[in-house]
Amino acid sequence: MDIAGEVVSVLDEVLSLNGRAKDFSLDTPLLGALPELDSMAVVALITGLEERFGFCVDDDEIDGSVFGSLASLVDFVTHKLSS
Amino acid sequence: MALEAFFLPANPGQRFALLHWPDSACEPSGAVVYVPPFAEELNKSRRMAALQAQAMADAGYAVLQIDLLGCGDSSGDFVDASWEAWLADVQLACAWVQQRTSTPLWLWGHRTGCLLANEAANRMHCPVDLLFWQPVLVGKQYLQQFLRLRLAAELAGGDSRGVMEALRQQLRQGQPVEIAGYMLSATLADGLERAELLLPHRSGRVEWIEISSRADASLSPAGVARLTQWQAAGQEVRSTVVNGPAFWQTSEISECNALLQASLLAMQRVPAA
């Protein structure tokens, strides 16, 4: 599975980026850098990832560092899928 | 189509309501009461609700939209709202529209509005058809997502540990918590947490519509499980999946035209004998 591609597609949809997320690279900063990523979008993003990948995120796994960049978000999803 | 805005006397205070009435001189082909979603989802979906209400009225349905207690232009603040008060508001809206017309009644719910619509239908002494938009199945899960808005807001500050437990603790002690600008009372949190989309007791049919951004999407696994269970229990229920944005939560206000069409088609289907 192309995890990075799937994460980008969820990001693009939840944040209404109209395809802009496709230009993101792994070191693109997210939380605090992307104005669209407000608190409602963070929660929608978590729910979107849970639904797309079929895992369940616990409250204590939600940490600012997860949403720091595309790379950290992809790492988080990869870790969830392998655990 | 005639549009009328008015206040419906309620207890406590009054509720803001919008009535869309079809142009035709004949009796409407059905009466519809819209049951809105929760907090910010309500604001984000106002445009779609208005478009759908207009489309329904153009197709011959009388549609009543109501702002529940503590929402929109109705009496009270959000912190005054409770699940029971909202159920009473839905029943009030149904009783009002049924005084105007004796055509069959539809309850049209969106997200947590489906939980309210379903429970209100169970409490009414007449058959009700149900139209569901992206129904929330388990109130407890929805409450967790809502509380997470506060957690998400704290993420940027870096100090998010223990936020969720602190919120739950406050609610357990009967104190309200502030989430994304909404003051959520312990009573409302409790009612939402207990709500679940259970088999309708007394209803007519259920038209269940999910919205997905993927063109090839099928019904969600949780939706399939619930529908299979209902069908096995003899409930008439049909599902549709339409392609479009999750307009109740997208950053920009968005529209889903496929949903407008699919809802009308679903309502106009001839019920199974």
Side-chain angles (χ1 to χ4, degrees):
Chain A
M1 181 168 38
D2 172 17
I3 294 176
E6 294 284 329
V7 170
V8 163
S9 126
V10 174
L11 257 178
D12 199 83
E13 176 199 340
V14 169
L15 305 185
S16 307
L17 295 175
N18 299 316
R20 273 197 289 139
K22 289 195 178 60
D23 301 329
F24 287 4
S25 64
L26 282 173
D27 55 9
T28 299
L30 301 177
L31 191 67
L34 202 60
E36 287 88 349
L37 194 57
D38 59 11
S39 55
M40 195 161 172
V42 167
V43 174
L45 183 58
I46 295 166
T47 312
L49 293 172
E50 285 178 333
E51 282 169 9
R52 184 72 61 95
F53 293 101
F55 53 64
C56 197
V57 178
D58 289 332
D59 291 335
D60 55 12
E61 290 179 301
I62 302 172
D63 186 277
S65 63
V66 169
F67 302 92
S69 67
L70 181 57
S72 63
L73 195 55
V74 171
D75 282 350
F76 175 72
V77 171
T78 311
H79 169 73
K80 287 295 292 179
L81 288 173
S82 64
S83 61
Chain B
M1 183 201 75
L3 182 63
E4 192 189 334
F6 59 99
F7 285 103
L8 203 58
N11 186 22
Q14 53 189 11
R15 305 290 174 271
F16 179 76
L18 268 179
L19 178 69
H20 306 250
W21 199 264
D23 278 332
S24 157
C26 324
E27 181 79 345
S29 42
V32 184
V33 170
Y34 174 62
V35 189
F38 197 79
E40 204 52 25
E41 291 191 351
L42 179 153
N43 287 329
K44 301 247 180 187
S45 57
R46 271 193 196 280
R47 179 164 176 76
M48 274 300 289
L51 289 174
Q52 183 70 76
Q54 282 162 22
M56 285 174 179
D58 288 341
Y61 294 91
V63 185
L64 184 67
Q65 292 181 269
I66 180 173
D67 281 346
L68 305 173
L69 174 66
C71 302
D73 289 321
S74 287
S75 298
D77 291 321
F78 196 77
V79 73
D80 302 322
S82 70
W83 200 252
E84 279 301 319
W86 283 356
L87 282 167
D89 284 353
V90 174
Q91 288 173 284
L92 175 76
C94 291
W96 188 89
V97 82
Q98 283 179 307
Q99 278 174 359
R100 285 282 190 104
T101 170
S102 54
T103 56
L105 180 66
W106 280 89
L107 276 174
W108 156 34
H110 182 203
R111 306 282 291 144
T112 52
C114 301
L115 293 170
L116 288 167
N118 196 48
E119 180 56 23
N122 286 344
R123 294 181 182 191
M124 275 188 273
H125 299 288
C126 65
V128 185
D129 290 328
L130 296 164
L131 171 67
F132 289 161
W133 275 9
Q134 199 75 21
V136 169
L137 307 184
V138 182
K140 187 176 180 168
Q141 213 167 11
Y142 188 86
L143 177 67
Q144 184 194 30
Q145 286 169 11
F146 187 67
L147 295 180
R148 277 182 178 180
L149 288 173
R150 177 71 175 273
L151 173 63
E154 313 267 348
L155 283 185
D159 191 19
S160 57
R161 295 271 160 204
V163 166
M164 292 293 278
E165 190 39 44
L167 290 175
R168 290 188 186 280
Q169 179 73 16
Q170 236 175 302
L171 288 172
R172 273 197 298 272
Q173 288 168 351
Q175 293 165 3
V177 294
E178 198 200 324
I179 311 283
Y182 292 87
M183 201 55 114
L184 173 73
S185 71
T187 320
L188 180 56
D190 184 58
L192 173 61
E193 190 161 28
R194 289 165 192 270
E196 202 188 333
L197 204 64
L198 300 171
L199 178 71
H201 292 306
R202 193 188 282 279
S203 290
R205 62 193 223 259
V206 176
E207 293 289 346
W208 177 302
I209 307 183
E210 292 187 3
I211 300 97
S212 171
S213 60
R214 308 190 121 188
D216 60 345
S218 49
L219 204 67
S220 65
V224 171
R226 193 68 44 128
L227 291 188
T228 310
Q229 192 192 356
W230 289 7
Q231 276 160 345
Q235 171 67 45
E236 187 187 349
V237 51
R238 265 172 300 206
S239 62
T240 315
V241 181
V242 299
N243 180 226
F247 56 87
W248 56 94
Q249 57 180 206
T250 47
S251 301
E252 303 286 331
I253 300 299
S254 50
E255 291 175 19
C256 177
N257 286 316
L259 177 59
L260 302 177
Q261 299 303 319
S263 300
L264 281 182
L265 272 177
M267 292 172 74
Q268 289 164 343
R269 264 179 200 153
V270 179

